[in-house]
Amino acid sequence: MGCDYTAAFTRKGKVCPFDLMLKSDDYVYAFGQLGFSQEIPSNVILVLEHFVCTLYGKKNLKSVNEARFALPSQHIAPGKRGHPLDCFAEDCFVLILTRT
């Protein structure tokens, strides 16, 4: 019995995200809104996306997709193939938030 899965942000653990959340009333409010209904308000999604971007050192970005693209791009020369996440019809972050 029990759960063998422990959620944590990659290479961030649990304490760092929690401390970051506590530094912003907007983050605390957004996380507090999760679980009230299956529909997540768009303003809450925007705040949570900014939280994830900030957590990974990309405070100037608002989109998780942009941050996911920017992180590996720091170590790889820019290419001419375009944004690799443009092929997704829906935002990856929204898919993660709404999965059941």
Side-chain angles (χ1 to χ4, degrees):
M1 298 291 169
C3 180
D4 60 357
Y5 172 77
T6 304
F9 285 96
T10 303
R11 297 189 176 133
K12 300 297 176 189
K14 296 178 186 177
V15 175
C16 182
F18 186 72
D19 288 343
L20 177 63
M21 180 194 68
L22 293 179
K23 291 180 181 177
S24 168
D25 290 338
D26 289 339
Y27 294 157
V28 171
Y29 174 80
F31 278 102
Q33 294 304 301
L34 297 177
F36 283 109
S37 73
Q38 285 188 307
E39 297 278 329
I40 301 172
S42 60
N43 63 322
V44 171
I45 291 172
L46 293 174
V47 172
L48 293 175
E49 278 201 269
H50 187 253
F51 170 83
V52 173
C53 292
T54 302
L55 181 64
Y56 283 96
K58 301 292 178 189
K59 292 180 186 179
N60 58 326
L61 299 178
K62 304 285 185 206
S63 164
V64 170
N65 282 347
E66 291 174 9
R68 289 177 66 199
F69 179 68
L71 287 171
S73 296
Q74 293 174 15
H75 308 289
I76 300 171
K80 296 183 179 181
R81 292 179 284 167
H83 197 291
L85 299 175
D86 284 344
C87 62
F88 290 103
E90 293 188 65
D91 187 8
C92 295
F93 187 67
V94 175
L95 291 174
I96 292 168
L97 283 176
T98 57
R99 71 179 177 192
T100 54

